[in-house]
Amino acid sequence: MSVVHIDAGVGARRPDLAATAPFLRACRGERPATTPVWFMRQAGRVLPEYRSLRAGIPMLDSCRDPALITEITMQPVRRFRPDAAIFFSDIVVPLVALGLDIDIVAGVGPVVAEPIRDAAGVAALRELEPNDVPYIADGVRTLLRELGGTPLIGFAGAPFTLASYLVEGGPSRNHLRTKELMYREPKLWHDLLDRLAGITTAFLQVQVDAGVDAIQLFDSWAGALSEADYRRYVAPHSARVLGAFAGQVPRIHFGVNTGELLAVMGEVGADVVGVDWRVPLDVAARRVGPHRALQGNLDPAAVFAPHDVLDAKIRDVLARGTAAPGHVFNLGHGVLPETDPGVLAHIVDVVHAG
Ligand code: CP3
């Protein structure tokens, strides 16, 4: 397999790590001796030590406390020794910092008190300043001291996924109001996404300036769109966000149900395309092309399979992942709450053993 060099940039603060950490090397399209692995949502709900730490503390409060952010981000690193840590936060944190009334309701997700559906609502969305989120830069800096040689991934929600929460007022199956706004008032739609792209870029810039080693843009619900609609209504805005970090840090771009969008999600400026569990990685590699690495894509439900079945699935993902220039092993979406943490530790061992 020829090595395709992906110009994903090096972390400004930790150039040594960029050259040696398997996760950062794989993001650049290299093949380290062991395949790097981390898990989306590794910090949080599956860990008993997380549940006891969080007892009595509302989710959004824990996202605004650098000491808690640091401890929660470190918990899975100590337990599983993954190849990367993901900053503990939520995609709605920058919106809450701007003063939007958003509550995180247990078992439901983010709920927006006053959904945005008209010009006045869009016009009220102001730009995010670094001073709005001091705890983010503080959290990143504290974490970098704790983490040693483990790279830290910063993240944000992509404009479309954020817009879906703001327009629907909460989680949605069909994103009907979102699509209605998009089709009925395209100018207003683009104004909304433009503002969200600015907010997302500013939120990621705070993390990059504080020293995160890579970023992941979560467009979790982009798979609700056809490729044509994605290109027309979403791609320019996600491209603006990702373009702002070209050459600075590796950029991972992920969504669920995005089999038909994998190529364009790469084209908008990703160094690594995250793949959900529905599309085998060799097929995804053909769709994405030779200049981008892949991340994924074990079915999160595979953790409930007997170990021989699970191990075969892990090895299948590893084998198919060799079709991509670089491969970061992950689940095809976040860790499910019912997951036994011991199984995650087992997956790390099997991936590292090759
Ligand atoms: O579940 C936990 O681990 C507890 C902490 C928590 C997070 N978000 C952390 C998070 C809680 C309670 C939330 C609320 C929330 N926000 C939900 C409901 C979650 C649930 O299962 O009850 C949802 C759906 C959101 C919105 C959201 N947050 C989305 C769509 C994403 C992108 C990832 C995805 O799942 O598609 C997030 C990111 C997120 N939330 C992260 C964390 C730690 C970062 C990503 C990561 O760790 O991989």
Side-chain angles (χ1 to χ4, degrees):
M1 149 91 41
S2 66
V3 174
V4 178
H5 183 78
I6 298 171
D7 185 17
V10 293
R13 311 225 164 174
R14 310 208 287 172
D16 300 353
L17 213 58
T20 55
F23 165 72
L24 295 172
R25 292 186 57 204
C27 287
R28 289 201 308 272
E30 296 175 13
R31 287 261 154 205
T34 53
T35 303
V37 50
W38 69 280
F39 303 109
M40 290 185 276
R41 304 295 292 272
Q42 68 191 11
R45 54 196 176 179
V46 298
L47 299 181
E49 59 269 34
Y50 166 80
R51 289 194 292 267
S52 50
L53 189 62
R54 267 281 319 279
I57 305 172
M59 168 62 189
L60 288 170
D61 289 357
S62 63
C63 295
R64 285 181 291 218
D65 179 331
L68 277 177
I69 293 170
T70 301
E71 177 58 20
I72 295 171
T73 302
M74 290 304 298
Q75 285 177 340
V77 176
R78 293 187 200 112
R79 224 189 224 260
F80 310 130
R81 300 269 152 218
D83 293 274
I86 179 124
F87 189 79
F88 183 80
S89 189
D90 190 79
I91 61 167
V92 299
V93 164
L95 304 177
V96 173
L98 289 174
L100 273 76
D101 185 349
I102 301 177
D103 193 16
I104 290 191
V105 178
V108 178
V111 175
V112 183
E114 291 175 40
I116 295 181
R117 293 175 190 156
D118 58 19
V122 174
L125 269 182
R126 68 165 173 90
E127 287 175 14
L128 184 82
E129 309 288 343
N131 281 345
D132 293 319
V133 287
Y135 40 84
I136 298 290
D138 286 349
V140 169
R141 282 191 287 261
T142 315
L143 266 165
L144 291 178
R145 286 195 293 273
E146 291 267 324
L147 276 165
T150 304
L152 177 62
I153 305 169
F155 77 92
F160 174 77
T161 291
L162 294 177
S164 170
Y165 283 110
L166 292 178
V167 176
E168 302 290 337
S172 164
R173 186 181 293 267
N174 296 316
H175 308 273
L176 290 183
R177 287 178 184 276
T178 312
K179 290 187 180 184
E180 184 183 0
L181 182 69
M182 182 190 284
Y183 296 138
R184 199 184 284 276
E185 298 191 66
K187 221 171 146 285
L188 187 59
W189 171 261
H190 283 296
D191 188 7
L192 172 62
L193 262 72
D194 184 53
R195 286 168 193 260
L196 291 171
I199 292 165
T200 293
T201 303
F203 188 60
L204 286 170
Q205 192 69 59
V206 167
Q207 299 174 54
V208 170
D209 288 346
V212 297
D213 301 289
I215 53 171
Q216 176 154 328
L217 188 65
F218 279 98
D219 210 350
S220 300
W221 314 139
L225 299 171
S226 68
E227 188 195 340
D229 281 352
Y230 180 87
R231 284 187 186 276
R232 181 165 176 175
Y233 297 107
V234 175
H237 306 287
S238 296
R240 192 179 137 213
V241 176
L242 290 169
F245 302 97
Q248 293 192 52
V249 287
R251 301 157 297 175
I252 310 170
H253 195 190
F254 170 79
V256 187
N257 246 320
T258 49
E260 303 304 321
L261 304 180
L262 290 172
V264 60
M265 286 182 73
E267 286 165 25
V268 295
D271 303 298
V272 184
V273 175
V275 183
D276 85 0
W277 68 96
R278 294 173 177 87
V279 181
L281 289 183
D282 50 331
V283 177
R286 284 200 293 277
R287 294 184 187 177
V288 168
H291 300 292
R292 294 182 171 86
L294 295 182
Q295 176 172 279
N297 75 345
L298 183 73
D299 185 342
V303 299
F304 306 109
H307 268 201
D308 56 332
V309 176
L310 170 62
D311 291 1
K313 285 181 175 293
I314 296 168
R315 296 209 173 91
D316 184 59
V317 170
L318 287 170
R320 292 177 191 275
T322 61
H327 177 210
V328 176
F329 193 101
N330 206 312
L331 303 180
H333 196 187
V335 173
L336 294 166
E338 301 83 359
T339 302
D340 170 358
V343 179
L344 297 178
H346 172 76
I347 294 173
V348 171
D349 289 345
V350 175
V351 172
H352 283 164

